[in-house]
Amino acid sequence: MRVFKAPVALVAGIWLFAGQSPSTAEVPVPRIAPKPGVVVASLSDEPPESLSPAQAIKREATVDVSIAVSAFYAEREFAPLWPPERAEALRARLSLAAFDGLDPADYFVPRNGLSPAALDVSLTEAALRYANDAYSGKLTPSSVSPIMTVEPPVLDEARFLRRLGQTKNIARTLDRLSPQHPGFVALKAKLAEALNAARDQRVAIGRGKNLRRGTKGVRVAALRSRLNATVSRGADPTVFDDTLDEAVRAYQTSSGLKADGIVGPRTIAMLDEGVGDHPVASLVSNMERWRWLPRGLGGHHVVVNIPSYRVKVQSAGSTIYDGRVIVGAAHHPTPVFSDEIEHIVVNPYWNVPVSIASKEMLRGIMANPAGYLSRRNYEAVMNGRVVNPSSISWSRAALSRVRIRQRPGRGNALGAVKFMFPNKHAVDLHDTPTKHLFRRDRRAFSHGCIRVHNPFDFAQALLSKEEKLSGAGLKRMVGGKQRWLKLDRHVPVHLTYFTREVTADGKLVRYADVYGYDRRVQRALNKS
């Protein structure tokens, strides 16, 4: 493929993508090769100077271009699309791609060295490449993790190109390609602030003893600087005073931490995360993941953000429930995808996954089958019937024939209720008997499912559009046999992974990269 030498985008003095020298970055000609199996027209034998503009574009648009672009030019009988004024408008908008979380170098088209026809087609290819990146993101989610099975929306390329050919406002047409979700828009605004800033002057607090009211030292001064906590004239900025204590508690509250005023390892880790790195990379990686979500989340929907350990029910643009959750541990991560909650189970049985049974239970069962299962309210099921566990020759092989399940009741791992959205990951949202874990700041303890702190309050919001079901009604059903309840209206649920969010008052909140996905996305984007 031919390449052009072109400078990497420089915005406000910041090289957007490190590792490339501004004088040596090689940018592919923005012309996408046809897909395998596509038959293209043969080149004309006529010299270029003897061809009409339409003939010249036909020559360019039928060889070594994307199928969508070739079809688009054929629809318009190969008429040129980019007279000088429109071409400059497109170039101007593509040059601002950094403010969309994209790399302008990916859409660079040289002004010289191309024939007018080749230039016209190349500009169209650049616009289409930008459109795909802005609409769907640059990465395939499963390349970051196999349990990221969210499916990015796919751009209707033909429809976009027709709109591009008709629009009088190119910038507005391209602006509309990115997600319009408030969360994405807020991050985009923060990205603009970061790009326009000279450089990030944050100072790391660093590891050490806990900081609290009365502590003195240079780390206290760094903490004061990080939180923009004022100090009285003549006072010692290295002393942890009441003003700093108030600022620490406010930060802990906004970050979902225990607001005790003690700056321990968890608070320091969140404050120092990314120090020394420009915030652009983390904002861009989170914007990339927003592009993977459906364009319509649902007028009434549920969203779980794994790094923040929170679940929200959002209806008509407002959050009507916001509560704590426990998510999967690092070695049992909660998957990332979208689905629909279809039914609720009250007084659920817990069917123990084979992986848990073999790794965590089998040794105890083999030592005393009846005693082990009885003490934990488990039972063994074969061919749909409960059987005496002592009658089974327990082994790993036996677990393929015998299902272990926990009866409803106190101590059941699923608690009193679970919310089902059947999926290949076999995860759901459910109650839990281990309520004390919700007091922790870092709540990654499960085997992948999402445990809800106040399940009946959550249910009340979830079922607010249902006529026959309510959270209070579910609570009255607790005790007795298992009950399955179908929702009249399925509710979209989105399991997401965002380490950066913007609060209603415009504050950027950072969450720990609990599974390392943010770092993976950043690395992949730098290579893309």
Side-chain angles (χ1 to χ4, degrees):
M1 173 182 288
R2 292 173 295 166
V3 296
F4 288 98
K5 303 286 187 180
V8 176
L10 178 67
V11 180
I14 303 167
W15 289 109
L16 294 181
F17 293 90
Q20 290 183 313
S21 165
S23 61
T24 61
E26 291 189 339
V27 181
V29 177
R31 305 283 296 281
I32 304 172
K35 296 180 180 179
V38 175
V39 178
V40 295
S42 59
L43 288 171
S44 169
D45 293 329
E46 295 292 328
E49 59 272 13
S50 67
L51 301 177
S52 68
Q55 290 173 325
I57 286 181
K58 183 176 182 180
R59 176 189 179 110
E60 293 292 334
T62 52
V63 178
D64 194 32
V65 297
S66 65
I67 295 173
V69 168
S70 180
F72 170 67
Y73 274 104
E75 279 184 9
R76 50 187 288 116
E77 297 181 342
F78 303 100
L81 180 60
W82 302 107
E85 185 176 346
R86 281 176 57 84
E88 287 308 307
L90 176 64
R91 288 182 185 278
R93 180 60 186 83
L94 294 180
S95 71
L96 298 176
F99 291 88
D100 304 308
L102 302 171
D103 185 355
D106 289 341
Y107 321 109
F108 170 78
V109 178
R111 295 178 182 275
N112 301 315
L114 294 175
S115 69
L119 181 60
D120 201 278
V121 175
S122 293
L123 287 170
T124 304
E125 290 280 8
L128 181 61
R129 182 158 53 254
Y130 170 90
N132 277 305
D133 291 347
Y135 193 79
S136 307
K138 300 184 69 174
L139 306 179
T140 301
S142 60
S143 69
V144 178
S145 169
I147 62 170
M148 276 191 160
T149 55
V150 59
E151 297 181 1
V154 177
L155 178 72
D156 185 333
E157 295 183 339
R159 183 179 180 186
F160 163 73
L161 289 170
R162 292 188 194 104
R163 184 182 297 121
L164 187 66
Q166 297 168 359
T167 186
K168 295 181 179 179
N169 191 328
I170 294 169
R172 182 183 301 171
T173 298
L174 298 189
D175 288 343
R176 291 174 176 172
L177 292 164
S178 291
Q180 303 301 306
H181 303 311
F184 178 91
V185 173
L187 287 177
K188 183 177 178 180
K190 290 298 180 183
L191 177 62
E193 293 177 13
L195 290 173
N196 287 319
R199 64 172 27 180
D200 186 1
Q201 297 290 348
R202 293 181 300 149
V203 179
I205 299 162
R207 296 180 180 180
K209 294 182 179 180
N210 290 357
L211 305 178
R212 65 183 76 202
R213 193 182 310 175
T215 305
K216 182 178 180 179
V218 293
R219 292 173 65 237
V220 173
L223 174 65
R224 187 183 298 279
S225 173
R226 294 296 306 283
L227 297 179
N228 295 316
T230 59
V231 62
S232 302
R233 184 182 298 274
D236 188 346
T238 66
V239 174
F240 198 130
D241 57 14
D242 291 343
T243 301
L244 184 54
D245 179 76
E246 184 179 340
V248 166
R249 292 175 188 271
Y251 172 80
Q252 289 172 328
T253 298
S254 67
S255 300
L257 301 171
K258 184 179 180 180
D260 55 9
I262 299 173
V263 183
R266 175 69 173 148
T267 303
I268 291 172
M270 294 191 70
L271 282 165
D272 279 356
E273 185 185 11
V275 172
D277 299 326
H278 199 276
V280 166
S282 59
L283 291 169
V284 167
S285 64
N286 278 270
M287 290 169 67
E288 169 75 8
R289 292 192 293 280
W290 268 108
R291 290 188 164 97
W292 300 346
L293 286 177
R295 281 300 184 266
L297 300 181
H300 179 71
H301 67 269
V302 173
V303 59
V304 174
N305 185 25
I306 295 167
S308 69
Y309 310 111
R310 309 291 298 187
V311 60
K312 296 180 181 180
V313 180
Q314 297 180 320
S315 192
S318 298
T319 299
I320 61 175
Y321 176 83
D322 184 353
R324 295 185 174 202
V325 295
I326 291 170
V327 301
H331 55 288
H332 293 296
T334 296
V336 176
F337 67 102
S338 295
D339 211 301
E340 293 184 340
I341 296 177
E342 300 179 10
H343 55 270
I344 297 172
V345 183
V346 184
N347 307 314
Y349 280 93
W350 177 43
N351 292 297
V352 182
V354 173
S355 59
I356 297 177
S358 61
K359 294 177 182 178
E360 303 178 20
M361 299 172 62
L362 184 58
R363 181 176 297 180
I365 294 173
M366 292 174 68
N368 182 1
Y372 183 94
L373 296 183
S374 177
R375 284 194 302 271
R376 294 163 177 79
N377 201 27
Y378 291 127
E379 57 189 19
V381 180
M382 289 184 66
N383 299 321
R385 298 178 59 186
V386 177
V387 298
N388 184 345
S390 298
S391 66
I392 299 169
S393 178
W394 290 96
S395 65
R396 291 186 184 277
L399 293 176
S400 64
R401 298 178 289 104
V402 183
R403 178 161 51 94
I404 300 173
R405 69 181 185 184
Q406 190 176 34
R407 303 180 188 92
R410 182 175 299 181
N412 182 281
L414 303 181
V417 61
K418 66 177 179 178
F419 308 88
M420 303 292 291
F421 41 103
N423 58 84
K424 68 180 182 180
H425 302 287
V427 299
D428 51 51
L429 290 104
H430 62 79
D431 184 19
T432 177
T434 54
K435 299 293 187 183
H436 68 281
L437 293 176
F438 288 102
R439 295 195 294 268
R440 305 279 189 89
D441 293 328
R442 187 180 180 92
R443 298 187 293 277
F445 301 115
S446 81
H447 284 81
C449 287
I450 302 101
R451 305 175 192 171
V452 183
H453 186 203
N454 297 307
F456 296 106
D457 292 343
F458 168 72
Q460 188 67 28
L462 173 71
L463 301 174
S464 59
K465 303 298 183 181
E466 291 285 317
E467 296 181 359
K468 300 175 183 178
L469 298 175
S470 68
L474 297 183
K475 198 169 187 178
R476 289 193 293 269
M477 299 178 194
V478 174
K481 296 181 178 181
Q482 177 173 270
R483 299 187 64 175
W484 286 64
L485 307 165
K486 291 185 178 181
L487 274 62
D488 290 334
R489 296 175 56 180
H490 293 179
V491 178
V493 57
H494 309 283
L495 308 187
T496 66
Y497 193 93
F498 296 117
T499 61
R500 299 293 184 271
E501 288 185 325
V502 180
T503 62
D505 59 358
K507 180 179 179 181
L508 180 65
V509 180
R510 304 165 182 266
Y511 303 118
D513 189 9
V514 60
Y515 300 152
Y517 293 164
D518 204 39
R519 293 190 298 276
R520 294 184 199 175
V521 171
Q522 290 179 34
R523 287 196 297 266
L525 287 174
N526 283 337
K527 295 176 181 177
S528 65

